[in-house]
PDB file of all heavy atoms in Angstrom:
ATOM      1  N   ARG A 868     -56.681 -51.306  28.594  1.00  0.00           N
ATOM      2  CA  ARG A 868     -55.383 -51.480  27.931  1.00  0.00           C
ATOM      3  C   ARG A 868     -54.380 -52.169  28.844  1.00  0.00           C
ATOM      4  O   ARG A 868     -53.687 -53.098  28.438  1.00  0.00           O
ATOM      5  CB  ARG A 868     -54.855 -50.114  27.490  1.00  0.00           C
ATOM      6  CG  ARG A 868     -53.545 -50.169  26.703  1.00  0.00           C
ATOM      7  CD  ARG A 868     -52.938 -48.781  26.615  1.00  0.00           C
ATOM      8  NE  ARG A 868     -53.896 -47.845  26.044  1.00  0.00           N
ATOM      9  CZ  ARG A 868     -53.697 -47.147  24.932  1.00  0.00           C
ATOM     10  NH1 ARG A 868     -52.564 -47.297  24.278  1.00  0.00           N
ATOM     11  NH2 ARG A 868     -54.586 -46.307  24.490  1.00  0.00           N
ATOM     12  N   LYS A 869     -54.285 -51.723  30.086  1.00  0.00           N
ATOM     13  CA  LYS A 869     -53.335 -52.308  31.034  1.00  0.00           C
ATOM     14  C   LYS A 869     -53.768 -53.705  31.487  1.00  0.00           C
ATOM     15  O   LYS A 869     -52.922 -54.570  31.762  1.00  0.00           O
ATOM     16  CB  LYS A 869     -53.158 -51.379  32.236  1.00  0.00           C
ATOM     17  CG  LYS A 869     -52.312 -50.153  31.930  1.00  0.00           C
ATOM     18  CD  LYS A 869     -50.887 -50.544  31.593  1.00  0.00           C
ATOM     19  CE  LYS A 869     -50.016 -49.366  31.225  1.00  0.00           C
ATOM     20  NZ  LYS A 869     -48.636 -49.785  30.879  1.00  0.00           N
ATOM     21  N   ARG A 870     -55.069 -53.963  31.560  1.00  0.00           N
ATOM     22  CA  ARG A 870     -55.538 -55.306  31.927  1.00  0.00           C
ATOM     23  C   ARG A 870     -55.163 -56.318  30.843  1.00  0.00           C
ATOM     24  O   ARG A 870     -54.737 -57.446  31.146  1.00  0.00           O
ATOM     25  CB  ARG A 870     -57.049 -55.285  32.154  1.00  0.00           C
ATOM     26  CG  ARG A 870     -57.467 -54.488  33.378  1.00  0.00           C
ATOM     27  CD  ARG A 870     -58.986 -54.368  33.486  1.00  0.00           C
ATOM     28  NE  ARG A 870     -59.368 -53.440  34.524  1.00  0.00           N
ATOM     29  CZ  ARG A 870     -59.536 -53.756  35.807  1.00  0.00           C
ATOM     30  NH1 ARG A 870     -59.365 -55.014  36.197  1.00  0.00           N
ATOM     31  NH2 ARG A 870     -59.888 -52.844  36.689  1.00  0.00           N
ATOM     32  N   LEU A 871     -55.304 -55.919  29.588  1.00  0.00           N
ATOM     33  CA  LEU A 871     -54.899 -56.798  28.495  1.00  0.00           C
ATOM     34  C   LEU A 871     -53.387 -56.995  28.479  1.00  0.00           C
ATOM     35  O   LEU A 871     -52.886 -58.099  28.222  1.00  0.00           O
ATOM     36  CB  LEU A 871     -55.370 -56.213  27.164  1.00  0.00           C
ATOM     37  CG  LEU A 871     -56.885 -56.173  26.945  1.00  0.00           C
ATOM     38  CD1 LEU A 871     -57.217 -55.458  25.639  1.00  0.00           C
ATOM     39  CD2 LEU A 871     -57.479 -57.578  26.956  1.00  0.00           C
ATOM     40  N   GLU A 872     -52.653 -55.919  28.773  1.00  0.00           N
ATOM     41  CA  GLU A 872     -51.193 -56.029  28.855  1.00  0.00           C
ATOM     42  C   GLU A 872     -50.787 -56.989  29.966  1.00  0.00           C
ATOM     43  O   GLU A 872     -49.824 -57.753  29.826  1.00  0.00           O
ATOM     44  CB  GLU A 872     -50.590 -54.644  29.082  1.00  0.00           C
ATOM     45  CG  GLU A 872     -49.072 -54.616  29.065  1.00  0.00           C
ATOM     46  CD  GLU A 872     -48.512 -53.229  29.261  1.00  0.00           C
ATOM     47  OE1 GLU A 872     -49.151 -52.252  28.792  1.00  0.00           O
ATOM     48  OE2 GLU A 872     -47.436 -53.103  29.879  1.00  0.00           O
ATOM     49  N   HIS A 873     -51.522 -56.947  31.086  1.00  0.00           N
ATOM     50  CA  HIS A 873     -51.236 -57.858  32.205  1.00  0.00           C
ATOM     51  C   HIS A 873     -51.415 -59.310  31.764  1.00  0.00           C
ATOM     52  O   HIS A 873     -50.569 -60.179  32.067  1.00  0.00           O
ATOM     53  CB  HIS A 873     -52.160 -57.546  33.379  1.00  0.00           C
ATOM     54  CG  HIS A 873     -52.136 -58.589  34.462  1.00  0.00           C
ATOM     55  ND1 HIS A 873     -51.083 -58.734  35.328  1.00  0.00           N
ATOM     56  CD2 HIS A 873     -53.041 -59.559  34.794  1.00  0.00           C
ATOM     57  CE1 HIS A 873     -51.320 -59.739  36.154  1.00  0.00           C
ATOM     58  NE2 HIS A 873     -52.502 -60.254  35.852  1.00  0.00           N
ATOM     59  N   LEU A 874     -52.496 -59.607  31.047  1.00  0.00           N
ATOM     60  CA  LEU A 874     -52.732 -60.975  30.585  1.00  0.00           C
ATOM     61  C   LEU A 874     -51.626 -61.425  29.633  1.00  0.00           C
ATOM     62  O   LEU A 874     -51.123 -62.557  29.726  1.00  0.00           O
ATOM     63  CB  LEU A 874     -54.088 -61.051  29.886  1.00  0.00           C
ATOM     64  CG  LEU A 874     -55.324 -60.863  30.784  1.00  0.00           C
ATOM     65  CD1 LEU A 874     -56.591 -60.864  29.951  1.00  0.00           C
ATOM     66  CD2 LEU A 874     -55.379 -61.957  31.854  1.00  0.00           C
ATOM     67  N   TRP A 875     -51.227 -60.545  28.719  1.00  0.00           N
ATOM     68  CA  TRP A 875     -50.176 -60.894  27.780  1.00  0.00           C
ATOM     69  C   TRP A 875     -48.852 -61.159  28.494  1.00  0.00           C
ATOM     70  O   TRP A 875     -48.147 -62.147  28.195  1.00  0.00           O
ATOM     71  CB  TRP A 875     -50.001 -59.775  26.752  1.00  0.00           C
ATOM     72  CG  TRP A 875     -48.920 -60.062  25.755  1.00  0.00           C
ATOM     73  CD1 TRP A 875     -49.012 -60.819  24.629  1.00  0.00           C
ATOM     74  CD2 TRP A 875     -47.570 -59.599  25.820  1.00  0.00           C
ATOM     75  NE1 TRP A 875     -47.803 -60.862  23.979  1.00  0.00           N
ATOM     76  CE2 TRP A 875     -46.895 -60.132  24.685  1.00  0.00           C
ATOM     77  CE3 TRP A 875     -46.856 -58.801  26.719  1.00  0.00           C
ATOM     78  CZ2 TRP A 875     -45.557 -59.869  24.428  1.00  0.00           C
ATOM     79  CZ3 TRP A 875     -45.517 -58.544  26.469  1.00  0.00           C
ATOM     80  CH2 TRP A 875     -44.887 -59.072  25.338  1.00  0.00           C
ATOM     81  N   LYS A 876     -48.487 -60.331  29.450  1.00  0.00           N
ATOM     82  CA  LYS A 876     -47.219 -60.504  30.155  1.00  0.00           C
ATOM     83  C   LYS A 876     -47.237 -61.739  31.050  1.00  0.00           C
ATOM     84  O   LYS A 876     -46.193 -62.363  31.288  1.00  0.00           O
ATOM     85  CB  LYS A 876     -46.895 -59.255  30.970  1.00  0.00           C
ATOM     86  CG  LYS A 876     -46.458 -58.069  30.109  1.00  0.00           C
ATOM     87  CD  LYS A 876     -46.014 -56.886  30.957  1.00  0.00           C
ATOM     88  CE  LYS A 876     -45.476 -55.766  30.075  1.00  0.00           C
ATOM     89  NZ  LYS A 876     -45.031 -54.591  30.863  1.00  0.00           N
ATOM     90  N   THR A 877     -48.422 -62.112  31.556  1.00  0.00           N
ATOM     91  CA  THR A 877     -48.519 -63.327  32.351  1.00  0.00           C
ATOM     92  C   THR A 877     -48.135 -64.551  31.516  1.00  0.00           C
ATOM     93  O   THR A 877     -47.461 -65.471  31.997  1.00  0.00           O
ATOM     94  CB  THR A 877     -49.950 -63.493  32.893  1.00  0.00           C
ATOM     95  OG1 THR A 877     -50.273 -62.370  33.714  1.00  0.00           O
ATOM     96  CG2 THR A 877     -50.074 -64.757  33.739  1.00  0.00           C
ATOM     97  N   LEU A 878     -48.558 -64.546  30.259  1.00  0.00           N
ATOM     98  CA  LEU A 878     -48.197 -65.634  29.345  1.00  0.00           C
ATOM     99  C   LEU A 878     -46.753 -65.517  28.867  1.00  0.00           C
ATOM    100  O   LEU A 878     -46.063 -66.524  28.698  1.00  0.00           O
ATOM    101  CB  LEU A 878     -49.148 -65.633  28.149  1.00  0.00           C
ATOM    102  CG  LEU A 878     -50.638 -65.853  28.459  1.00  0.00           C
ATOM    103  CD1 LEU A 878     -51.472 -65.675  27.196  1.00  0.00           C
ATOM    104  CD2 LEU A 878     -50.869 -67.228  29.072  1.00  0.00           C
ATOM    105  N   ARG A 879     -46.310 -64.296  28.664  1.00  0.00           N
ATOM    106  CA  ARG A 879     -44.973 -64.056  28.100  1.00  0.00           C
ATOM    107  C   ARG A 879     -43.872 -64.304  29.126  1.00  0.00           C
ATOM    108  O   ARG A 879     -42.774 -64.759  28.777  1.00  0.00           O
ATOM    109  CB  ARG A 879     -44.901 -62.615  27.590  1.00  0.00           C
ATOM    110  CG  ARG A 879     -43.559 -62.194  27.029  1.00  0.00           C
ATOM    111  CD  ARG A 879     -43.252 -62.909  25.720  1.00  0.00           C
ATOM    112  NE  ARG A 879     -42.022 -62.415  25.128  1.00  0.00           N
ATOM    113  CZ  ARG A 879     -40.801 -62.827  25.490  1.00  0.00           C
ATOM    114  NH1 ARG A 879     -40.676 -63.735  26.446  1.00  0.00           N
ATOM    115  NH2 ARG A 879     -39.735 -62.342  24.893  1.00  0.00           N
ATOM    116  N   TYR A 880     -44.123 -63.973  30.405  1.00  0.00           N
ATOM    117  CA  TYR A 880     -43.093 -64.075  31.442  1.00  0.00           C
ATOM    118  C   TYR A 880     -43.572 -64.929  32.609  1.00  0.00           C
ATOM    119  O   TYR A 880     -43.732 -64.428  33.734  1.00  0.00           O
ATOM    120  CB  TYR A 880     -42.706 -62.683  31.949  1.00  0.00           C
ATOM    121  CG  TYR A 880     -42.262 -61.729  30.868  1.00  0.00           C
ATOM    122  CD1 TYR A 880     -43.068 -60.652  30.488  1.00  0.00           C
ATOM    123  CD2 TYR A 880     -41.031 -61.886  30.242  1.00  0.00           C
ATOM    124  CE1 TYR A 880     -42.652 -59.760  29.507  1.00  0.00           C
ATOM    125  CE2 TYR A 880     -40.611 -61.000  29.259  1.00  0.00           C
ATOM    126  CZ  TYR A 880     -41.424 -59.942  28.894  1.00  0.00           C
ATOM    127  OH  TYR A 880     -41.015 -59.074  27.915  1.00  0.00           O
ATOM    128  N   PRO A 881     -43.832 -66.212  32.410  1.00  0.00           N
ATOM    129  CA  PRO A 881     -44.318 -67.052  33.524  1.00  0.00           C
ATOM    130  C   PRO A 881     -43.298 -67.144  34.652  1.00  0.00           C
ATOM    131  O   PRO A 881     -42.101 -67.341  34.414  1.00  0.00           O
ATOM    132  CB  PRO A 881     -44.529 -68.417  32.852  1.00  0.00           C
ATOM    133  CG  PRO A 881     -43.636 -68.401  31.640  1.00  0.00           C
ATOM    134  CD  PRO A 881     -43.633 -66.979  31.171  1.00  0.00           C
ATOM    135  N   GLY A 882     -43.763 -66.938  35.884  1.00  0.00           N
ATOM    136  CA  GLY A 882     -42.890 -67.033  37.047  1.00  0.00           C
ATOM    137  C   GLY A 882     -42.010 -65.835  37.290  1.00  0.00           C
ATOM    138  O   GLY A 882     -41.203 -65.840  38.227  1.00  0.00           O
ATOM    139  N   ARG A 883     -42.142 -64.785  36.464  1.00  0.00           N
ATOM    140  CA  ARG A 883     -41.321 -63.589  36.654  1.00  0.00           C
ATOM    141  C   ARG A 883     -42.212 -62.408  37.023  1.00  0.00           C
ATOM    142  O   ARG A 883     -43.407 -62.378  36.738  1.00  0.00           O
ATOM    143  CB  ARG A 883     -40.535 -63.277  35.380  1.00  0.00           C
ATOM    144  CG  ARG A 883     -39.608 -64.414  34.932  1.00  0.00           C
ATOM    145  CD  ARG A 883     -38.848 -64.023  33.695  1.00  0.00           C
ATOM    146  NE  ARG A 883     -37.895 -62.941  33.962  1.00  0.00           N
ATOM    147  CZ  ARG A 883     -37.239 -62.293  33.005  1.00  0.00           C
ATOM    148  NH1 ARG A 883     -37.457 -62.581  31.729  1.00  0.00           N
ATOM    149  NH2 ARG A 883     -36.387 -61.329  33.325  1.00  0.00           N
ATOM    150  N   THR A 884     -41.620 -61.406  37.670  1.00  0.00           N
ATOM    151  CA  THR A 884     -42.381 -60.224  38.079  1.00  0.00           C
ATOM    152  C   THR A 884     -42.215 -59.123  37.047  1.00  0.00           C
ATOM    153  O   THR A 884     -41.113 -58.886  36.540  1.00  0.00           O
ATOM    154  CB  THR A 884     -41.913 -59.712  39.449  1.00  0.00           C
ATOM    155  OG1 THR A 884     -40.512 -59.420  39.400  1.00  0.00           O
ATOM    156  CG2 THR A 884     -42.174 -60.745  40.536  1.00  0.00           C
ATOM    157  N   PHE A 885     -43.313 -58.460  36.725  1.00  0.00           N
ATOM    158  CA  PHE A 885     -43.306 -57.369  35.756  1.00  0.00           C
ATOM    159  C   PHE A 885     -44.170 -56.242  36.283  1.00  0.00           C
ATOM    160  O   PHE A 885     -44.902 -56.389  37.275  1.00  0.00           O
ATOM    161  CB  PHE A 885     -43.790 -57.855  34.381  1.00  0.00           C
ATOM    162  CG  PHE A 885     -45.024 -58.708  34.429  1.00  0.00           C
ATOM    163  CD1 PHE A 885     -46.286 -58.140  34.487  1.00  0.00           C
ATOM    164  CD2 PHE A 885     -44.920 -60.091  34.429  1.00  0.00           C
ATOM    165  CE1 PHE A 885     -47.423 -58.916  34.535  1.00  0.00           C
ATOM    166  CE2 PHE A 885     -46.062 -60.882  34.476  1.00  0.00           C
ATOM    167  CZ  PHE A 885     -47.315 -60.300  34.525  1.00  0.00           C
ATOM    168  N   SER A 886     -44.113 -55.094  35.625  1.00  0.00           N
ATOM    169  CA  SER A 886     -44.716 -53.878  36.187  1.00  0.00           C
ATOM    170  C   SER A 886     -46.234 -53.847  36.062  1.00  0.00           C
ATOM    171  O   SER A 886     -46.906 -53.237  36.890  1.00  0.00           O
ATOM    172  CB  SER A 886     -44.122 -52.629  35.518  1.00  0.00           C
ATOM    173  OG  SER A 886     -44.438 -52.611  34.131  1.00  0.00           O
ATOM    174  N   THR A 887     -46.800 -54.473  35.024  1.00  0.00           N
ATOM    175  CA  THR A 887     -48.234 -54.327  34.774  1.00  0.00           C
ATOM    176  C   THR A 887     -49.033 -55.332  35.584  1.00  0.00           C
ATOM    177  O   THR A 887     -49.333 -56.444  35.116  1.00  0.00           O
ATOM    178  CB  THR A 887     -48.525 -54.487  33.269  1.00  0.00           C
ATOM    179  OG1 THR A 887     -47.620 -53.676  32.525  1.00  0.00           O
ATOM    180  CG2 THR A 887     -49.946 -54.043  32.960  1.00  0.00           C
ATOM    181  N   VAL A 888     -49.365 -54.955  36.794  1.00  0.00           N
ATOM    182  CA  VAL A 888     -50.215 -55.750  37.683  1.00  0.00           C
ATOM    183  C   VAL A 888     -51.279 -54.825  38.259  1.00  0.00           C
ATOM    184  O   VAL A 888     -51.259 -53.615  38.022  1.00  0.00           O
ATOM    185  CB  VAL A 888     -49.388 -56.405  38.816  1.00  0.00           C
ATOM    186  CG1 VAL A 888     -48.404 -57.425  38.251  1.00  0.00           C
ATOM    187  CG2 VAL A 888     -48.630 -55.345  39.618  1.00  0.00           C
ATOM    188  N   SER A 889     -52.206 -55.360  39.025  1.00  0.00           N
ATOM    189  CA  SER A 889     -53.268 -54.531  39.588  1.00  0.00           C
ATOM    190  C   SER A 889     -52.685 -53.483  40.527  1.00  0.00           C
ATOM    191  O   SER A 889     -51.617 -53.692  41.118  1.00  0.00           O
ATOM    192  CB  SER A 889     -54.252 -55.403  40.372  1.00  0.00           C
ATOM    193  OG  SER A 889     -53.659 -55.882  41.564  1.00  0.00           O
ATOM    194  N   PRO A 890     -53.365 -52.335  40.682  1.00  0.00           N
ATOM    195  CA  PRO A 890     -52.862 -51.301  41.604  1.00  0.00           C
ATOM    196  C   PRO A 890     -52.642 -51.810  43.024  1.00  0.00           C
ATOM    197  O   PRO A 890     -51.691 -51.389  43.695  1.00  0.00           O
ATOM    198  CB  PRO A 890     -53.960 -50.235  41.537  1.00  0.00           C
ATOM    199  CG  PRO A 890     -54.530 -50.366  40.169  1.00  0.00           C
ATOM    200  CD  PRO A 890     -54.525 -51.853  39.894  1.00  0.00           C
ATOM    201  N   THR A 891     -53.496 -52.721  43.485  1.00  0.00           N
ATOM    202  CA  THR A 891     -53.324 -53.265  44.838  1.00  0.00           C
ATOM    203  C   THR A 891     -52.025 -54.050  44.951  1.00  0.00           C
ATOM    204  O   THR A 891     -51.244 -53.871  45.891  1.00  0.00           O
ATOM    205  CB  THR A 891     -54.511 -54.167  45.205  1.00  0.00           C
ATOM    206  OG1 THR A 891     -55.711 -53.380  45.224  1.00  0.00           O
ATOM    207  CG2 THR A 891     -54.319 -54.812  46.567  1.00  0.00           C
ATOM    208  N   ARG A 892     -51.790 -54.925  43.984  1.00  0.00           N
ATOM    209  CA  ARG A 892     -50.569 -55.719  44.002  1.00  0.00           C
ATOM    210  C   ARG A 892     -49.346 -54.839  43.771  1.00  0.00           C
ATOM    211  O   ARG A 892     -48.291 -55.049  44.378  1.00  0.00           O
ATOM    212  CB  ARG A 892     -50.651 -56.809  42.931  1.00  0.00           C
ATOM    213  CG  ARG A 892     -49.488 -57.775  42.949  1.00  0.00           C
ATOM    214  CD  ARG A 892     -49.687 -58.866  41.918  1.00  0.00           C
ATOM    215  NE  ARG A 892     -48.536 -59.747  41.837  1.00  0.00           N
ATOM    216  CZ  ARG A 892     -48.375 -60.700  40.917  1.00  0.00           C
ATOM    217  NH1 ARG A 892     -49.338 -60.881  40.008  1.00  0.00           N
ATOM    218  NH2 ARG A 892     -47.296 -61.452  40.894  1.00  0.00           N
ATOM    219  N   TYR A 893     -49.465 -53.870  42.888  1.00  0.00           N
ATOM    220  CA  TYR A 893     -48.334 -52.979  42.598  1.00  0.00           C
ATOM    221  C   TYR A 893     -47.907 -52.229  43.862  1.00  0.00           C
ATOM    222  O   TYR A 893     -46.719 -52.158  44.189  1.00  0.00           O
ATOM    223  CB  TYR A 893     -48.729 -51.990  41.500  1.00  0.00           C
ATOM    224  CG  TYR A 893     -47.556 -51.262  40.887  1.00  0.00           C
ATOM    225  CD1 TYR A 893     -46.994 -51.708  39.697  1.00  0.00           C
ATOM    226  CD2 TYR A 893     -47.004 -50.128  41.482  1.00  0.00           C
ATOM    227  CE1 TYR A 893     -45.916 -51.053  39.119  1.00  0.00           C
ATOM    228  CE2 TYR A 893     -45.924 -49.477  40.925  1.00  0.00           C
ATOM    229  CZ  TYR A 893     -45.383 -49.940  39.739  1.00  0.00           C
ATOM    230  OH  TYR A 893     -44.304 -49.291  39.185  1.00  0.00           O
ATOM    231  N   ALA A 894     -48.883 -51.670  44.586  1.00  0.00           N
ATOM    232  CA  ALA A 894     -48.574 -50.915  45.805  1.00  0.00           C
ATOM    233  C   ALA A 894     -47.938 -51.811  46.856  1.00  0.00           C
ATOM    234  O   ALA A 894     -46.933 -51.440  47.485  1.00  0.00           O
ATOM    235  CB  ALA A 894     -49.847 -50.274  46.342  1.00  0.00           C
ATOM    236  N   ARG A 895     -48.520 -52.987  47.058  1.00  0.00           N
ATOM    237  CA  ARG A 895     -47.985 -53.901  48.076  1.00  0.00           C
ATOM    238  C   ARG A 895     -46.566 -54.324  47.741  1.00  0.00           C
ATOM    239  O   ARG A 895     -45.683 -54.367  48.607  1.00  0.00           O
ATOM    240  CB  ARG A 895     -48.902 -55.122  48.187  1.00  0.00           C
ATOM    241  CG  ARG A 895     -48.430 -56.144  49.227  1.00  0.00           C
ATOM    242  CD  ARG A 895     -49.427 -57.268  49.430  1.00  0.00           C
ATOM    243  NE  ARG A 895     -49.590 -58.054  48.196  1.00  0.00           N
ATOM    244  CZ  ARG A 895     -50.704 -58.084  47.476  1.00  0.00           C
ATOM    245  NH1 ARG A 895     -51.752 -57.364  47.837  1.00  0.00           N
ATOM    246  NH2 ARG A 895     -50.779 -58.826  46.387  1.00  0.00           N
ATOM    247  N   ARG A 896     -46.315 -54.634  46.476  1.00  0.00           N
ATOM    248  CA  ARG A 896     -44.999 -55.116  46.073  1.00  0.00           C
ATOM    249  C   ARG A 896     -43.922 -54.042  46.228  1.00  0.00           C
ATOM    250  O   ARG A 896     -42.799 -54.328  46.667  1.00  0.00           O
ATOM    251  CB  ARG A 896     -45.063 -55.581  44.612  1.00  0.00           C
ATOM    252  CG  ARG A 896     -43.846 -56.321  44.130  1.00  0.00           C
ATOM    253  CD  ARG A 896     -44.087 -56.877  42.729  1.00  0.00           C
ATOM    254  NE  ARG A 896     -44.303 -55.809  41.756  1.00  0.00           N
ATOM    255  CZ  ARG A 896     -44.689 -56.038  40.491  1.00  0.00           C
ATOM    256  NH1 ARG A 896     -44.927 -57.274  40.086  1.00  0.00           N
ATOM    257  NH2 ARG A 896     -44.841 -55.026  39.655  1.00  0.00           N
ATOM    258  N   LEU A 897     -44.245 -52.783  45.896  1.00  0.00           N
ATOM    259  CA  LEU A 897     -43.257 -51.715  46.046  1.00  0.00           C
ATOM    260  C   LEU A 897     -42.947 -51.462  47.515  1.00  0.00           C
ATOM    261  O   LEU A 897     -41.781 -51.236  47.888  1.00  0.00           O
ATOM    262  CB  LEU A 897     -43.761 -50.431  45.380  1.00  0.00           C
ATOM    263  CG  LEU A 897     -42.750 -49.293  45.266  1.00  0.00           C
ATOM    264  CD1 LEU A 897     -41.475 -49.742  44.550  1.00  0.00           C
ATOM    265  CD2 LEU A 897     -43.354 -48.101  44.537  1.00  0.00           C
ATOM    266  N   CYS A 898     -43.964 -51.511  48.362  1.00  0.00           N
ATOM    267  CA  CYS A 898     -43.727 -51.365  49.812  1.00  0.00           C
ATOM    268  C   CYS A 898     -42.851 -52.499  50.334  1.00  0.00           C
ATOM    269  O   CYS A 898     -41.948 -52.275  51.158  1.00  0.00           O
ATOM    270  CB  CYS A 898     -45.054 -51.338  50.561  1.00  0.00           C
ATOM    271  SG  CYS A 898     -45.988 -49.806  50.380  1.00  0.00           S
ATOM    272  N   GLN A 899     -43.085 -53.712  49.855  1.00  0.00           N
ATOM    273  CA  GLN A 899     -42.271 -54.853  50.280  1.00  0.00           C
ATOM    274  C   GLN A 899     -40.833 -54.691  49.811  1.00  0.00           C
ATOM    275  O   GLN A 899     -39.899 -55.084  50.526  1.00  0.00           O
ATOM    276  CB  GLN A 899     -42.878 -56.153  49.734  1.00  0.00           C
ATOM    277  CG  GLN A 899     -44.192 -56.537  50.400  1.00  0.00           C
ATOM    278  CD  GLN A 899     -44.886 -57.704  49.709  1.00  0.00           C
ATOM    279  OE1 GLN A 899     -44.554 -58.072  48.573  1.00  0.00           O
ATOM    280  NE2 GLN A 899     -45.845 -58.312  50.381  1.00  0.00           N
ATOM    281  N   TRP A 900     -40.653 -54.119  48.620  1.00  0.00           N
ATOM    282  CA  TRP A 900     -39.290 -53.886  48.136  1.00  0.00           C
ATOM    283  C   TRP A 900     -38.557 -52.926  49.060  1.00  0.00           C
ATOM    284  O   TRP A 900     -37.389 -53.173  49.422  1.00  0.00           O
ATOM    285  CB  TRP A 900     -39.330 -53.314  46.711  1.00  0.00           C
ATOM    286  CG  TRP A 900     -37.978 -53.219  46.068  1.00  0.00           C
ATOM    287  CD1 TRP A 900     -37.411 -54.117  45.217  1.00  0.00           C
ATOM    288  CD2 TRP A 900     -36.998 -52.185  46.266  1.00  0.00           C
ATOM    289  NE1 TRP A 900     -36.148 -53.705  44.855  1.00  0.00           N
ATOM    290  CE2 TRP A 900     -35.865 -52.524  45.479  1.00  0.00           C
ATOM    291  CE3 TRP A 900     -36.982 -51.019  47.013  1.00  0.00           C
ATOM    292  CZ2 TRP A 900     -34.725 -51.724  45.447  1.00  0.00           C
ATOM    293  CZ3 TRP A 900     -35.835 -50.216  46.966  1.00  0.00           C
ATOM    294  CH2 TRP A 900     -34.724 -50.585  46.198  1.00  0.00           C
ATOM    295  N   VAL A 901     -39.207 -51.841  49.450  1.00  0.00           N
ATOM    296  CA  VAL A 901     -38.555 -50.866  50.329  1.00  0.00           C
ATOM    297  C   VAL A 901     -38.241 -51.503  51.680  1.00  0.00           C
ATOM    298  O   VAL A 901     -37.139 -51.311  52.236  1.00  0.00           O
ATOM    299  CB  VAL A 901     -39.450 -49.626  50.510  1.00  0.00           C
ATOM    300  CG1 VAL A 901     -38.860 -48.682  51.553  1.00  0.00           C
ATOM    301  CG2 VAL A 901     -39.622 -48.904  49.180  1.00  0.00           C
ATOM    302  N   GLU A 902     -39.159 -52.272  52.205  1.00  0.00           N
ATOM    303  CA  GLU A 902     -38.914 -52.932  53.490  1.00  0.00           C
ATOM    304  C   GLU A 902     -37.728 -53.891  53.408  1.00  0.00           C
ATOM    305  O   GLU A 902     -36.919 -53.963  54.342  1.00  0.00           O
ATOM    306  CB  GLU A 902     -40.166 -53.695  53.936  1.00  0.00           C
ATOM    307  CG  GLU A 902     -40.034 -54.318  55.306  1.00  0.00           C
ATOM    308  CD  GLU A 902     -41.333 -54.921  55.797  1.00  0.00           C
ATOM    309  OE1 GLU A 902     -42.284 -55.034  54.998  1.00  0.00           O
ATOM    310  OE2 GLU A 902     -41.417 -55.283  57.001  1.00  0.00           O
ATOM    311  N   ALA A 903     -37.611 -54.609  52.302  1.00  0.00           N
ATOM    312  CA  ALA A 903     -36.533 -55.583  52.158  1.00  0.00           C
ATOM    313  C   ALA A 903     -35.174 -54.940  51.899  1.00  0.00           C
ATOM    314  O   ALA A 903     -34.145 -55.566  52.133  1.00  0.00           O
ATOM    315  CB  ALA A 903     -36.864 -56.550  51.011  1.00  0.00           C
ATOM    316  N   HIS A 904     -35.178 -53.697  51.447  1.00  0.00           N
ATOM    317  CA  HIS A 904     -33.909 -53.053  51.062  1.00  0.00           C
ATOM    318  C   HIS A 904     -33.533 -51.885  51.986  1.00  0.00           C
ATOM    319  O   HIS A 904     -32.723 -51.037  51.610  1.00  0.00           O
ATOM    320  CB  HIS A 904     -33.975 -52.564  49.614  1.00  0.00           C
ATOM    321  CG  HIS A 904     -33.990 -53.683  48.611  1.00  0.00           C
ATOM    322  ND1 HIS A 904     -35.138 -54.351  48.275  1.00  0.00           N
ATOM    323  CD2 HIS A 904     -32.983 -54.260  47.893  1.00  0.00           C
ATOM    324  CE1 HIS A 904     -34.855 -55.295  47.366  1.00  0.00           C
ATOM    325  NE2 HIS A 904     -33.561 -55.253  47.131  1.00  0.00           N
ATOM    326  N   THR A 905     -34.121 -51.827  53.165  1.00  0.00           N
ATOM    327  CA  THR A 905     -33.753 -50.779  54.140  1.00  0.00           C
ATOM    328  C   THR A 905     -33.371 -51.434  55.467  1.00  0.00           C
ATOM    329  O   THR A 905     -33.844 -52.515  55.820  1.00  0.00           O
ATOM    330  CB  THR A 905     -34.902 -49.799  54.374  1.00  0.00           C
ATOM    331  OG1 THR A 905     -36.083 -50.508  54.758  1.00  0.00           O
ATOM    332  CG2 THR A 905     -35.195 -48.980  53.147  1.00  0.00           C
TER     333      THR A 905
END
């Protein structure tokens, strides 16, 4: 379900970041957010 949602959002929001990505990318991106905002 989430993999299909990821494909749909990739088409719907080109060039923008959204929540439904792979767990690896999701974890890395949240850590980068904390690093950039502390």
Side-chain angles (χ1 to χ4, degrees):
R868 184 194 305 239
K869 285 295 178 181
R870 292 174 189 273
L871 293 175
E872 185 179 326
H873 168 74
L874 292 176
W875 179 82
K876 287 186 175 180
T877 300
L878 299 174
R879 178 69 175 82
Y880 305 109
R883 301 181 67 190
T884 57
F885 46 83
S886 63
T887 312
V888 295
S889 70
T891 297
R892 185 177 175 188
Y893 194 97
R895 180 174 64 247
R896 190 173 63 188
L897 189 55
C898 286
Q899 290 171 345
W900 188 97
V901 173
E902 184 173 11
H904 290 83
T905 55

